[in-house]
Amino acid sequence: MVQLKAKIIYNKKFKGDYWHCIIDAPLIAKKSIPGQFVNIKLSDTLEPFLRRPFSIHRIGSPAKGNFLPKTIEILYKIIGQGTEILSGRKKGEYLDIIGPLGNGFDYTRTHEHTNTRTILVAGGMGVAPLVFLSEKIKAKAKVALIGARTKAQVLCEKEFKNSGCDVKIATDDGSAGFKGKVTELLRQVLLTNSRTHELTNYIYACGPKPMLKAVAGIAKKYRVSAQISLEEHMACGIGACLGCVVKTKTGYKRACKDGPVFEAQDII
Amino acid sequence: MKPNLSVNIGKLKLKNPVMVASGTFGYAEEFSDFMDLKKLGAVVTKTITLNPRQGNSPPRTCETPAGMLNSIGLENPGIEVFIREKLPFLKKLGVPIIMSVASEDGPEEFVALAKRMDKIKEAAAIELNISCPNIGHRSNLPPKLISQDPKATYKVVNSVRKVTQKTLITKLSPSVTSISEIAMAAQAAGSDAIALINTLSGMSIDVEKRKPKLAVVTGGLSGPAIRPIALKMVWEAYNKIKLPIIGMGGIIDISSALEFFIAGASAISIGTANFVNPKISIEIMSGIRKYLARNKISGIEKLIGSLKI
């Protein structure tokens, strides 16, 4: 991990309240693994005082044919003072950024394996790290399940499709795709596959806590391996303060260092 | 002219007066990617207890205006695991290591910890954490601290003093009526130095949920928000006691660091600011040197307690 001043090369709203920021940080980009995050100092004042963690959404610009990753991309929604300030930062300005941080997804079990199926489960903003993961996993059988409250909040459908996923959508109000929870879609997908027994499923999920809890329950029931990415309030982001711990079967673990990605069955 | 940055804290000689505060620097390993740890004046470890402690339930932190609350609850692996797994890295640093210790069960545990630390050559000093506001909550109310009582403070420091010759630093709480009364008790009991201040007891509420932001309701406030209080306590203690004072509380830059020396601190600790900028302690150290050179002050000793009134 490194700490550096990195230049913003793009920072615009892309849908509703959702923003997309691209930062020039080759030293971070080349070491980043899906599920890892960066910790950004958003202002030079005391408000907000602490850094804010952002999941790495993508590296480089594969679509433009960049071979060596030079940039990292983050997605954010304006939810408070920090993200409000970030939305006001302009192209060409610099951000004090630390990364890549944390323990990302272990995708070696599905990567390039022909007998496995990758199931990505994203709730709301949870799409962010899963797009990066989807772009890394070369295996053909990939399903992305995107959950949102309403159609306007369905994110990254195109990115998942472009990276080879079969995309299914669930919205609470039924304005797009399946009406209901994304975890219900997950259950259906697993049921279909369990009849054929052709492929071994692997679940990777990111989203709100209740969704992740439901994913863990379903994964357990259907005996499928699942990794989940947790979001906790962090102070240091580098494993020193022990502020962001989550309860696991082997005691408290740091979301910032031991996580944010954990085996679903280890979390209590 | 190259200003002299060295200071003495009891028998402990520091090459420069910038240390990192307990609980904000882990066991130093976490920071090795960001800085040359050898440049630090000293490292104070995350507090160690006799037995492993799992700490308090999360959430354990929340941001507050110009600072943060924490209620970690001294999560640590216990002294034996610390010695086996964390000490080897610290030993190699070539920087004085100050062992922060706390008791879950009265003065006897402090004595046991001190005896164990006394045998460790690399333990440059022992810091008695008798001021953590995050252990021993009484039905959701903050705990009663040893350092809120001069007699209890005297008893712990005096008991430890009898079993070790190592430099003893007593870390005090600002949540008291008179800081000098407690500092004098520590001095009378044989402490070699005083560390001021630990976090202030505080709380914060999520108004939508009407729930405390910390699971254990109250925690310790740190960051620039507490700096004026810390500074005043250093100044007050400096005028009442003879012992060197290690000043801390909301230091985030060179200017705020200098304030503490001028108020009477012989050394300073960087705490919460490490979370915001992991290499801030080194930047502050070189800034102090430049300040001394610019003002033609031969050494940091000359700055200590130099407040003009």
Side-chain angles (χ1 to χ4, degrees):
Chain A
M1 54 188 155
V2 291
Q3 179 183 10
L4 44 82
K5 293 257 196 276
K7 195 196 261 184
I8 298 170
I9 56 178
Y10 181 92
N11 188 25
K12 281 185 179 157
K13 199 186 273 193
F14 73 96
K15 189 170 190 176
D17 293 335
Y18 299 96
W19 288 65
H20 181 200
C21 182
I22 306 178
I23 302 159
D24 184 35
L27 289 176
I28 294 174
K30 72 176 180 192
K31 289 187 177 164
S32 297
I33 292 164
Q36 288 188 302
F37 65 96
V38 290
N39 215 2
I40 306 179
K41 179 77 180 125
L42 296 170
S43 84
D44 298 329
T45 71
L46 295 177
E47 299 295 328
F49 178 55
L50 298 169
R51 287 171 183 267
R52 292 288 183 269
F54 295 90
S55 194
I56 299 168
H57 168 53
R58 285 174 115 174
I59 55 165
S61 300
K64 290 169 196 152
N66 283 344
F67 217 63
L68 275 174
K70 289 174 82 98
T71 57
I72 57 158
E73 303 182 24
I74 58 173
L75 296 184
Y76 62 97
K77 186 182 177 184
I78 300 180
I79 51 163
Q81 189 186 25
T83 42
E84 179 77 47
I85 290 170
L86 181 58
S87 70
R89 302 297 296 267
K90 301 272 181 292
K91 179 180 168 180
E93 290 181 12
Y94 285 80
L95 291 171
D96 180 339
I97 171 170
I98 296 176
L101 295 167
N103 185 22
F105 289 103
D106 171 10
Y107 55 95
T108 52
R109 290 174 295 188
T110 50
H111 189 53
E112 291 177 351
H113 286 236
T114 50
N115 57 345
T116 60
R117 180 166 64 162
T118 298
I119 305 172
L120 308 168
V121 188
M125 210 59 218
V127 294
L130 296 178
V131 168
F132 185 10
L133 180 64
S134 181
E135 287 173 349
K136 279 278 183 185
I137 294 178
K138 301 290 178 226
K140 283 207 178 74
K142 284 195 286 189
V143 185
L145 310 177
I146 310 174
R149 287 208 182 93
T150 184
K151 188 179 178 182
Q153 293 173 1
V154 175
L155 306 175
C156 297
E157 187 180 351
K158 197 179 82 195
E159 284 79 1
F160 282 117
K161 274 186 180 150
N162 288 346
S163 61
C165 288
D166 177 15
V167 177
K168 294 183 199 299
I169 290 162
T171 51
D172 292 349
D173 63 2
S175 53
F178 171 76
K179 184 180 177 183
K181 297 286 175 202
V182 71
T183 43
E184 190 47 43
L185 270 186
L186 172 64
R187 193 190 302 275
Q188 288 173 14
V189 166
L190 290 174
L191 272 173
T192 323
N193 189 61
S194 67
R195 288 195 205 104
T196 61
H197 290 289
E198 285 163 357
L199 303 168
T200 308
N201 289 310
Y202 286 95
I203 299 169
Y204 304 90
C206 184
K209 264 197 189 132
M211 182 202 102
L212 294 177
K213 206 168 180 179
V215 167
I218 293 166
K220 190 177 181 188
K221 187 176 172 194
Y222 292 90
R223 294 182 188 171
V224 178
S225 157
Q227 293 174 42
I228 56 176
S229 178
L230 301 180
E231 187 177 40
E232 299 297 329
H233 182 269
M234 290 176 188
C236 76
I238 58 174
C241 74
L242 313 181
C244 63
V245 295
V246 293
K247 203 165 198 175
T248 74
K249 283 179 181 161
T250 51
Y252 285 128
K253 299 275 182 198
R254 301 163 295 182
C256 72
K257 187 91 176 181
D258 307 305
V261 176
F262 292 94
E263 291 290 336
Q265 304 315 324
D266 288 345
I267 302 296
I268 297 171
Chain B
M1 183 190 73
K2 203 176 179 195
N4 179 13
L5 286 187
S6 69
V7 291
N8 294 322
I9 305 291
K11 289 181 290 290
L12 177 62
K13 192 174 172 65
L14 304 180
K15 66 179 184 291
N16 76 67
V18 181
M19 333 195 311
V20 284
S22 179
T24 65
F25 213 70
Y27 299 106
E29 265 174 291
E30 294 83 356
F31 286 79
S32 56
D33 277 5
F34 302 106
M35 61 197 277
D36 183 359
L37 293 164
K38 282 186 190 61
K39 289 185 176 171
L40 288 168
V43 168
V44 188
T45 65
K46 168 82 182 156
T47 297
I48 304 145
T49 49
L50 203 54
N51 298 308
R53 272 186 68 85
Q54 69 163 11
N56 290 327
S57 301
R60 292 175 172 181
T61 60
C62 75
E63 184 161 333
T64 57
M68 62 174 282
L69 285 164
N70 90 79
S71 58
I72 311 301
L74 302 187
E75 178 179 339
N76 81 96
I79 191 163
E80 294 309 325
V81 175
F82 163 78
I83 289 169
R84 213 164 53 234
E85 293 177 11
K86 304 294 180 187
L87 192 58
F89 178 84
L90 290 165
K91 276 181 180 177
K92 285 185 285 181
L93 292 182
V95 162
I97 307 300
I98 298 171
M99 307 294 181
S100 172
V101 295
S103 162
E104 297 174 282
D105 190 27
E108 296 76 20
E109 192 176 325
F110 274 111
V111 170
L113 284 158
K115 281 182 176 165
R116 189 74 180 89
M117 289 298 184
D118 195 60
K119 294 196 197 90
I120 298 169
K121 187 168 58 98
E122 291 79 8
I126 299 170
E127 180 171 280
L128 300 171
N129 180 1
I130 56 170
S131 47
C132 173
N134 291 323
I135 61 168
H137 282 74
R138 302 157 298 173
S139 52
N140 291 331
L141 290 172
K144 176 98 180 90
L145 311 174
I146 294 168
S147 69
Q148 283 171 324
D149 176 356
K151 286 195 185 110
T153 300
Y154 182 91
K155 192 175 173 194
V156 167
V157 177
N158 192 246
S159 313
V160 172
R161 181 74 288 171
K162 287 175 184 158
V163 299
T164 181
Q165 292 304 304
K166 286 196 189 280
T167 294
L168 272 188
I169 300 163
T170 309
K171 187 165 181 178
L172 303 184
S173 168
S175 304
V176 291
T177 316
S178 165
I179 196 70
S180 43
E181 186 187 10
I182 310 289
M184 286 190 286
Q187 176 172 268
S191 191
D192 295 299
I194 301 294
L196 285 175
I197 58 175
N198 207 320
T199 55
L200 271 156
S201 190
M203 66 187 280
S204 186
I205 296 171
D206 180 328
V207 296
E208 294 304 323
K209 295 178 185 157
R210 281 193 253 166
K211 284 187 136 189
K213 288 192 182 170
L214 300 174
V216 294
V217 187
T218 66
L221 180 64
S222 64
I226 70 167
R227 190 195 306 146
I229 298 165
L231 196 61
K232 177 256 178 187
M233 288 192 163
V234 166
W235 165 244
E236 195 181 323
Y238 177 75
N239 282 286
K240 290 279 187 180
I241 62 168
K242 297 191 175 72
L243 301 182
I245 296 165
I246 301 163
M248 71 200 76
I251 298 175
I252 58 159
D253 53 20
I254 298 153
S255 157
S256 51
L258 290 166
E259 279 190 282
F260 278 81
F261 290 105
I262 296 166
S266 293
I268 54 158
S269 270
I270 312 298
T272 307
N274 292 316
F275 301 159
V276 182
N277 177 3
K279 57 178 189 297
I280 188 68
S281 46
I282 302 295
E283 291 173 11
I284 286 174
M285 194 260 292
S286 67
I288 292 170
R289 179 177 283 134
K290 281 178 195 149
Y291 170 88
L292 294 175
R294 191 172 73 240
N295 290 284
K296 301 191 168 49
I297 302 168
S298 61
I300 190 74
E301 293 277 6
K302 294 256 178 3
L303 193 66
I304 299 166
S306 64
L307 183 69
K308 297 172 185 171
I309 298 174

